[in-house]
Amino acid sequence: MTSVARIGRTGRRAVGALVARQTYKNLLYLFLAIPLGFLYYFTFGFGVLLGLLLTLVLVGVAILFVALLGARIAAGLERRLANALLGLDLERYGDVDDAPGTRSRLRAYVDAPSTWRAVGFLSMKTLVSVVALLGVIALAWIAELLLAPLRYPTDAEFGELNGEPLVWSIETVPEAALAGALGAALLVVFVHVANAIAYVCGRMSAALLGEPAIGR
Protein backbone atom coordinates (compact mmCIF):
# COMPACT_ATOMS: atom_id res chain seq x y z
CA MET A 1 0.00 0.00 0.00
CA THR A 2 2.86 2.34 0.76
CA SER A 3 4.23 1.94 -2.77
CA VAL A 4 0.81 2.48 -4.28
CA ALA A 5 0.28 5.63 -2.19
CA ARG A 6 3.71 6.91 -3.18
CA ILE A 7 2.98 6.32 -6.85
CA GLY A 8 -0.38 8.07 -6.44
CA ARG A 9 1.25 11.12 -4.86
CA THR A 10 3.85 11.23 -7.60
CA GLY A 11 1.14 11.04 -10.23
CA ARG A 12 -0.86 13.83 -8.60
CA ARG A 13 2.23 16.04 -8.46
CA ALA A 14 3.01 15.30 -12.10
CA VAL A 15 -0.49 16.13 -13.30
CA GLY A 16 -0.92 18.97 -10.80
CA ALA A 17 1.49 21.13 -12.79
CA LEU A 18 -1.13 21.27 -15.55
CA VAL A 19 -3.57 23.15 -13.34
CA ALA A 20 -1.09 25.20 -11.30
CA ARG A 21 -1.41 28.93 -11.90
CA GLN A 22 2.36 29.40 -11.71
CA THR A 23 2.82 27.02 -14.65
CA TYR A 24 0.95 29.38 -16.95
CA LYS A 25 2.85 32.39 -15.62
CA ASN A 26 6.05 30.51 -16.40
CA LEU A 27 4.83 29.69 -19.90
CA LEU A 28 3.90 33.32 -20.53
CA TYR A 29 7.36 34.40 -19.37
CA LEU A 30 9.01 31.94 -21.74
CA PHE A 31 6.78 32.85 -24.67
CA LEU A 32 7.54 36.55 -24.13
CA ALA A 33 11.23 35.66 -24.13
CA ILE A 34 11.04 34.78 -27.84
CA PRO A 35 10.49 38.30 -29.23
CA LEU A 36 12.39 39.99 -26.40
CA GLY A 37 15.45 37.77 -26.70
CA PHE A 38 15.80 38.30 -30.43
CA LEU A 39 15.16 42.04 -29.98
CA TYR A 40 18.00 42.24 -27.45
CA TYR A 41 20.29 40.30 -29.77
CA PHE A 42 19.74 42.54 -32.79
CA THR A 43 19.69 45.86 -30.94
CA PHE A 44 22.09 45.71 -28.00
CA GLY A 45 24.39 43.13 -29.54
CA PHE A 46 24.73 45.18 -32.70
CA GLY A 47 25.05 48.41 -30.72
CA VAL A 48 27.84 47.10 -28.50
CA LEU A 49 29.70 45.61 -31.47
CA LEU A 50 29.38 48.79 -33.54
CA GLY A 51 30.39 50.94 -30.59
CA LEU A 52 33.52 48.86 -29.97
CA LEU A 53 34.48 48.99 -33.64
CA LEU A 54 34.13 52.79 -33.68
CA THR A 55 35.69 53.54 -30.30
CA LEU A 56 38.54 55.42 -32.00
CA VAL A 57 36.08 58.12 -32.94
CA LEU A 58 33.65 59.95 -30.68
CA VAL A 59 30.56 58.50 -32.34
CA GLY A 60 31.63 54.99 -31.34
CA VAL A 61 31.84 55.96 -27.69
CA ALA A 62 28.39 57.53 -27.92
CA ILE A 63 26.90 54.41 -29.57
CA LEU A 64 28.49 52.17 -26.93
CA PHE A 65 27.14 54.26 -24.09
CA VAL A 66 23.63 54.34 -25.60
CA ALA A 67 23.76 50.56 -25.93
CA LEU A 68 24.81 50.17 -22.30
CA LEU A 69 22.13 52.57 -21.13
CA GLY A 70 19.58 50.66 -23.21
CA ALA A 71 20.73 47.44 -21.58
CA ARG A 72 20.04 48.95 -18.15
CA ILE A 73 16.55 50.00 -19.26
CA ALA A 74 15.87 46.52 -20.70
CA ALA A 75 17.13 44.98 -17.45
CA GLY A 76 14.55 47.06 -15.60
CA LEU A 77 11.83 45.62 -17.83
CA GLU A 78 13.15 42.11 -17.26
CA ARG A 79 13.19 42.69 -13.52
CA ARG A 80 9.52 43.70 -13.57
CA LEU A 81 8.66 40.65 -15.71
CA ALA A 82 10.50 38.36 -13.30
CA ASN A 83 8.69 39.90 -10.33
CA ALA A 84 5.29 39.62 -11.99
CA LEU A 85 5.59 36.20 -13.62
CA LEU A 86 8.30 34.25 -11.79
CA GLY A 87 7.25 35.12 -8.25
CA LEU A 88 10.35 37.18 -7.40
CA ASP A 89 10.57 40.39 -5.41
CA LEU A 90 13.62 42.22 -6.72
CA GLU A 91 14.63 45.84 -6.45
CA ARG A 92 17.15 47.52 -8.70
CA TYR A 93 20.76 47.64 -7.64
CA GLY A 94 21.73 50.83 -5.86
CA ASP A 95 25.27 51.03 -7.23
CA VAL A 96 24.79 54.16 -9.35
CA ASP A 97 25.23 57.27 -7.27
CA ASP A 98 23.62 60.56 -8.16
CA ALA A 99 26.98 61.97 -9.15
CA PRO A 100 26.95 65.69 -9.99
CA GLY A 101 27.68 66.60 -13.58
CA THR A 102 26.98 64.78 -16.81
CA ARG A 103 30.48 63.38 -17.17
CA SER A 104 30.52 61.94 -13.66
CA ARG A 105 27.07 60.46 -14.13
CA LEU A 106 28.07 58.80 -17.39
CA ARG A 107 31.16 57.34 -15.80
CA ALA A 108 29.08 56.05 -12.88
CA TYR A 109 26.88 54.09 -15.30
CA VAL A 110 29.90 52.57 -17.04
CA ASP A 111 31.61 51.71 -13.74
CA ALA A 112 28.48 50.21 -12.13
CA PRO A 113 28.57 46.39 -11.88
CA SER A 114 24.81 46.37 -12.49
CA THR A 115 25.37 47.70 -16.02
CA TRP A 116 27.53 44.72 -16.92
CA ARG A 117 25.22 42.32 -15.09
CA ALA A 118 22.46 43.65 -17.34
CA VAL A 119 24.56 43.01 -20.44
CA GLY A 120 25.28 39.48 -19.25
CA PHE A 121 21.63 38.77 -18.51
CA LEU A 122 20.47 40.03 -21.90
CA SER A 123 23.09 37.88 -23.61
CA MET A 124 21.79 34.78 -21.81
CA LYS A 125 18.19 35.81 -22.50
CA THR A 126 18.94 35.32 -26.19
CA LEU A 127 19.70 31.66 -25.46
CA VAL A 128 16.47 31.40 -23.48
CA SER A 129 14.55 32.76 -26.48
CA VAL A 130 15.98 30.00 -28.70
CA VAL A 131 14.98 27.33 -26.17
CA ALA A 132 11.52 28.88 -25.86
CA LEU A 133 11.10 28.86 -29.65
CA LEU A 134 11.95 25.16 -29.72
CA GLY A 135 9.37 24.70 -26.97
CA VAL A 136 6.68 26.32 -29.12
CA ILE A 137 7.50 23.92 -31.94
CA ALA A 138 7.34 20.97 -29.54
CA LEU A 139 4.01 22.22 -28.19
CA ALA A 140 2.60 22.35 -31.73
CA TRP A 141 3.58 18.69 -32.21
CA ILE A 142 1.98 17.75 -28.90
CA ALA A 143 -1.20 19.57 -29.94
CA GLU A 144 -1.37 17.48 -33.11
CA LEU A 145 -1.29 14.31 -31.04
CA LEU A 146 -3.86 15.59 -28.54
CA LEU A 147 -6.28 16.55 -31.31
CA ALA A 148 -5.88 13.30 -33.24
CA PRO A 149 -8.87 11.54 -31.56
CA LEU A 150 -11.09 14.45 -32.66
CA ARG A 151 -10.09 14.58 -36.30
CA TYR A 152 -8.76 11.22 -37.43
CA PRO A 153 -7.96 10.09 -40.06
CA THR A 154 -5.15 12.61 -40.07
CA ASP A 155 -1.42 12.90 -40.63
CA ALA A 156 0.70 14.17 -37.73
CA GLU A 157 3.86 15.80 -39.06
CA PHE A 158 7.01 16.05 -36.93
CA GLY A 159 9.50 17.87 -39.11
CA GLU A 160 11.98 16.25 -41.46
CA LEU A 161 14.77 13.68 -41.30
CA ASN A 162 17.36 13.58 -44.09
CA GLY A 163 15.07 15.69 -46.23
CA GLU A 164 12.12 13.35 -45.77
CA PRO A 165 9.04 14.41 -43.76
CA LEU A 166 8.33 12.52 -40.55
CA VAL A 167 4.63 11.71 -40.72
CA TRP A 168 2.44 9.47 -38.59
CA SER A 169 -0.69 8.52 -40.52
CA ILE A 170 -3.42 8.07 -37.90
CA GLU A 171 -6.31 6.21 -39.52
CA THR A 172 -7.94 3.97 -36.91
CA VAL A 173 -9.57 4.40 -33.50
CA PRO A 174 -6.75 2.58 -31.62
CA GLU A 175 -4.14 4.73 -33.37
CA ALA A 176 -6.06 7.90 -32.51
CA ALA A 177 -6.42 6.81 -28.87
CA LEU A 178 -2.71 6.02 -28.70
CA ALA A 179 -1.84 9.39 -30.20
CA GLY A 180 -4.07 11.19 -27.70
CA ALA A 181 -2.57 9.31 -24.75
CA LEU A 182 0.96 9.96 -26.00
CA GLY A 183 0.14 13.65 -26.45
CA ALA A 184 -1.22 13.88 -22.88
CA ALA A 185 1.90 12.23 -21.46
CA LEU A 186 4.17 14.51 -23.47
CA LEU A 187 2.18 17.54 -22.33
CA VAL A 188 2.85 16.65 -18.70
CA VAL A 189 6.55 16.29 -19.48
CA PHE A 190 6.49 19.57 -21.40
CA VAL A 191 5.06 21.64 -18.54
CA HIS A 192 7.58 20.20 -16.07
CA VAL A 193 10.46 20.99 -18.41
CA ALA A 194 9.04 24.50 -18.93
CA ASN A 195 8.77 25.00 -15.17
CA ALA A 196 12.37 23.87 -14.75
CA ILE A 197 13.58 26.32 -17.40
CA ALA A 198 11.56 29.11 -15.80
CA TYR A 199 13.14 28.26 -12.45
CA VAL A 200 16.61 28.65 -14.00
CA CYS A 201 15.51 31.99 -15.48
CA GLY A 202 14.37 33.05 -12.03
CA ARG A 203 17.78 32.21 -10.56
CA MET A 204 19.45 34.16 -13.38
CA SER A 205 17.20 37.12 -12.66
CA ALA A 206 17.88 37.01 -8.92
CA ALA A 207 21.63 36.88 -9.53
CA LEU A 208 21.89 39.58 -12.20
CA LEU A 209 18.89 41.92 -12.19
CA GLY A 210 18.44 43.15 -8.64
CA GLU A 211 18.54 42.67 -4.94
CA PRO A 212 15.79 40.93 -2.91
CA ALA A 213 13.36 43.46 -1.45
CA ILE A 214 13.71 43.86 2.30
CA GLY A 215 10.88 44.56 4.68
CA ARG A 216 8.02 43.47 2.46
Side-chain angles (χ1 to χ4, degrees), residues 8-28:
R9 288 195 298 270
T10 302
R12 286 194 296 271
R13 285 196 298 269
V15 178
L18 290 173
V19 296
R21 182 179 181 184
Q22 186 58 49
T23 292
Y24 295 95
K25 287 185 175 182
N26 292 343
L27 289 173
L28 178 57

Side-chain angles (χ1 to χ4, degrees), residues 8-190:
R9 288 195 298 270
T10 302
R12 286 194 296 271
R13 285 196 298 269
V15 178
L18 290 173
V19 296
R21 182 179 181 184
Q22 186 58 49
T23 292
Y24 295 95
K25 287 185 175 182
N26 292 343
L27 289 173
L28 178 57
Y29 180 88
L30 294 176
F31 290 155
L32 288 175
I34 298 173
L36 290 175
F38 286 107
L39 175 64
Y40 300 153
Y41 176 78
F42 287 111
T43 54
F44 303 125
F46 177 76
V48 170
L49 179 60
L50 183 61
L52 290 174
L53 291 175
L54 298 177
T55 49
L56 295 179
V57 294
L58 185 60
V59 67
V61 177
I63 292 173
L64 183 59
F65 176 76
V66 169
L68 293 178
L69 184 60
R72 289 185 62 90
I73 295 173
L77 169 63
E78 288 292 334
R79 184 169 54 251
R80 287 190 288 272
L81 282 175
N83 287 342
L85 298 177
L86 299 182
L88 302 181
D89 193 8
L90 301 175
E91 295 180 341
R92 68 182 182 89
Y93 287 110
D95 58 353
V96 177
D97 297 326
D98 292 330
T102 302
R103 183 177 179 180
S104 298
R105 190 63 180 272
L106 296 181
R107 181 171 180 175
Y109 279 121
V110 175
D111 290 342
S114 59
T115 297
W116 303 102
R117 289 192 183 104
V119 172
F121 179 88
L122 297 181
S123 299
M124 289 188 289
K125 191 62 180 281
T126 300
L127 299 178
V128 174
S129 68
V130 174
V131 174
L133 182 59
L134 294 176
V136 170
I137 296 172
L139 188 59
W141 292 344
I142 292 172
E144 282 200 71
L145 295 175
L146 287 172
L147 294 174
L150 301 178
R151 56 174 189 165
Y152 77 93
T154 184
D155 291 332
E157 298 184 9
F158 303 100
E160 294 184 355
L161 180 64
N162 296 327
E164 296 293 329
L166 295 175
V167 179
W168 180 10
S169 296
I170 303 169
E171 300 177 349
T172 65
V173 173
E175 287 178 329
L178 177 61
L182 180 60
L186 290 176
L187 182 61
V188 172
V189 174
F190 175 85

